[in-house]
Amino acid sequence: MSFLNFLISGISLGSIYAIIALGYTMVYGIAKMLNFAHGDVIMVGAYICFFAVSSYGLPPVVGVVAAMAVCTVLGIVVERLAYKPLRQAPSLAVLITAIGVSYFLQNGAQLLWTSSPKVFPNIFAQKGADGAMKSSFTLFDGQLNISYVAVVAIIACVVIMAGLTLFTGYTKMGKAMRACSEDKGAAQLMGINVDGTISLTFAIGSGLAAVAGVLLCAAYPNLVPTTGSMPGIKAFTAAVFGGIGSIPGALLGGLLLGVIQIFTQAYISMELADAVVFGVLIVVLLVRPAGLLGKQIREKV
């Protein structure tokens, strides 16, 4: 049953990566920019939920909603102040700005909340038959151990992916996002508010980053100002792996990345897990430069 335990852990971690990757893939698909500050929005969401639950004693659901609200506003503010003035700037200028915003959020978190590690509360724990709070349950006479956060992460990923697919396919704003993704100039000529659509994309991606931050810290409870850095990079890797700009690609890339990482840690080496993950990405991009579900786009000269 250890194989199944590792598989469920990998799918759970991959679900969190997929939710984070959605922020990268949506922003790139519409604004054609890489928001490397996205990983630090994850950290901000985790801190907001931590203080809401631990310091103010609010229910976990309220803590998650508060984290989503703060991160949504943060995403809009960052887009308006840092990225909107660079709409026509070279991609390198936007990339450097994104890195600067990332360091600004990390250092701001250190000033506000210090750099000392905080233990994230187990907000998904359930009361067992003996009255004690338990973080997992067992099946098959205790051979299969599944954590509650793994179940919540997988369900949340499926619901979010289905919701986004329906939103982009059947709503007016979703169709506007797809139009901006195809051609922002033509979309503006057709009466679509391109700036508002890009802001909405940042808002949705940042709100989802808050959910991912809560799930990540619930599974791995150590919370510091740099918590979102490595998961953000891995989620970006997942987005590229699946085909950046593709919502199904973010899901596929995230799940594969999580499973590869957990199985490498279990059967090969803890230290080599990251090397194997990025090595697989390199091999995939050599075979399919656009990613597994990405489309090759030929530029007209």
Side-chain angles (χ1 to χ4, degrees):
M1 288 294 177
S2 59
F3 177 86
L4 284 179
N5 279 314
F6 294 138
L7 181 61
I8 292 171
S9 297
I11 293 174
S12 170
L13 180 61
S15 297
I16 297 173
Y17 285 154
I19 296 172
I20 303 171
L22 280 173
Y24 286 108
T25 203
M26 289 177 66
V27 169
Y28 181 82
I30 294 172
K32 295 297 182 287
M33 62 160 290
L34 300 174
N35 179 24
F36 279 115
H38 189 65
D40 299 289
V41 177
I42 299 166
M43 171 268 298
V44 172
Y47 268 109
I48 297 299
C49 184
F50 171 81
F51 285 112
V53 175
S54 298
S55 300
Y56 297 100
L58 297 175
V61 174
V62 177
V64 174
V65 172
M68 291 180 66
V70 171
C71 287
T72 298
V73 174
L74 178 63
I76 295 173
V77 170
V78 167
E79 190 276 328
R80 290 291 175 91
L81 296 181
Y83 299 137
K84 186 178 179 181
L86 301 175
R87 198 82 82 214
Q88 305 301 323
S91 57
L92 182 60
V94 180
L95 180 63
I96 293 172
T97 301
I99 296 172
V101 172
S102 173
Y103 281 111
F104 176 81
L105 292 177
Q106 286 183 25
N107 285 275
Q110 288 183 1
L111 290 173
L112 287 173
W113 303 311
T114 73
S115 57
S116 59
K118 293 175 173 55
V119 179
F120 199 84
N122 192 352
I123 61 175
F124 298 111
Q126 300 293 320
K127 187 175 290 186
D130 56 355
M133 300 300 291
K134 296 183 177 181
S135 60
S136 62
F137 61 94
T138 57
L139 298 174
F140 304 109
D141 295 326
Q143 296 184 49
L144 183 62
N145 187 60
I146 304 173
S147 66
Y148 289 111
V149 66
V151 176
V152 174
I154 294 169
I155 293 174
C157 180
V158 172
V159 171
I160 288 170
M161 290 294 173
L164 271 180
T165 301
L166 293 173
F167 174 78
T168 56
Y170 298 99
T171 66
K172 184 177 180 180
M173 286 305 302
K175 292 177 180 178
M177 291 167 68
R178 288 165 55 197
C180 291
S181 176
E182 290 291 333
D183 191 323
K184 287 194 287 291
Q188 193 165 18
L189 290 174
M190 296 301 293
I192 294 174
N193 184 350
V194 174
D195 288 337
T197 303
I198 293 175
S199 293
L200 176 64
T201 305
F202 271 85
I204 294 174
S206 299
L208 295 180
V211 176
V214 172
L215 292 171
L216 180 68
C217 289
Y220 304 93
N222 192 40
L223 177 59
V224 292
T226 55
T227 289
S229 297
M230 184 53 71
I233 293 173
K234 289 183 179 177
F236 171 69
T237 302
V240 176
F241 194 15
I244 193 163
S246 167
I247 291 177
L251 174 61
L252 178 61
L255 292 178
L256 287 176
L257 201 74
V259 170
I260 291 170
Q261 179 177 329
I262 294 297
F263 274 105
T264 302
Q265 291 174 348
Y267 293 112
I268 301 177
S269 169
M270 291 284 292
E271 289 77 14
L272 292 177
D274 291 345
V276 171
V277 165
F278 292 112
V280 170
L281 172 67
I282 292 170
V283 172
V284 170
L285 292 182
L286 287 174
V287 178
R288 289 187 60 84
L292 294 175
L293 299 182
K295 296 179 180 179
Q296 292 278 12
I297 299 175
R298 295 183 180 179
E299 294 185 3
K300 296 181 180 179
V301 180

